[in-house]
Structures are given as structure tokens and as C-alpha cells.
Amino acid sequence: YILRAQLLIAAGRHHEAMSNLCMACRLNSSSIQANSELWRIYYHLSQYASCCMLAGRIVSLDDKNPAAYLMYSQSLNKCGRHSEAMT
């Protein structure tokens, strides 16, 4: 599902990719790759509240991953939660 979603993203078919990534997350909710790709789609579609939720999940899955903290900070910033994004 992840590979298919990446191909759909490359083709600009974000909504179709989203359904594939949702399925990948249902099958393996601890997949950092699936959650990260889904975050990327939500960010592209300006769905920042969903980005915050996903980035928080990614941080909880791997609290040593600097990219996860960057995603979380970007999401919080886009949601207007600037003080949280700074910490």
C-alpha cells in the first residue's frame, strides 16, 4: 500500500494515495513510513489539525527521530500553536 501511495503522490493523485496510506496504517499502526507519508499528504492538502495528530503519533512511535519533531513543530506552527512549536 505504501509503494502504491508513493506512486500516486508522484502522479499528483493525493486523495487516492490517502486511502492507500490509511489502509497501510490500519494494517500496521506503528509504521512510521506510512504515517509520515500520510502526514505529507495532509500537509499538502492544508489539513494541519490532522498533521498535528499524525506528527504526535510519529513522535510517540520514535522519540529519537528528529524528522518527527520537525513535522510536529511545522504542524503546530501551521495550526497557530506557535508557543508549543517552539518547545
Side-chain angles (χ1 to χ4, degrees):
Y1 289 101
I2 294 171
L3 181 59
R4 183 182 309 150
Q6 289 172 331
L7 293 171
L8 289 167
I9 290 168
R13 295 164 54 188
H14 295 92
H15 291 285
E16 291 175 65
M18 192 181 323
S19 65
N20 280 274
L21 289 168
C22 286
M23 180 57 75
C25 288
R26 276 189 218 114
L27 294 173
N28 182 5
S29 62
S30 63
S31 169
I32 292 172
Q33 184 180 13
N35 282 292
S36 296
E37 292 291 337
L38 190 55
W39 177 89
R40 193 169 75 158
I41 289 174
Y42 282 131
Y43 196 85
H44 177 78
L45 297 174
S46 302
Q47 296 181 10
Y48 302 121
S50 297
C51 288
C52 287
M53 185 267 312
L54 278 170
R57 181 186 309 159
I58 296 166
V59 167
S60 71
L61 292 171
D62 184 4
D63 63 355
K64 304 280 191 251
N65 184 344
Y69 286 100
L70 180 60
M71 286 187 279
Y72 194 47
S73 180
Q74 285 179 311
S75 302
L76 290 170
N77 192 40
K78 288 290 190 175
C79 286
R81 296 162 57 185
H82 306 293
S83 59
E84 290 176 73
M86 301 281 290
T87 58

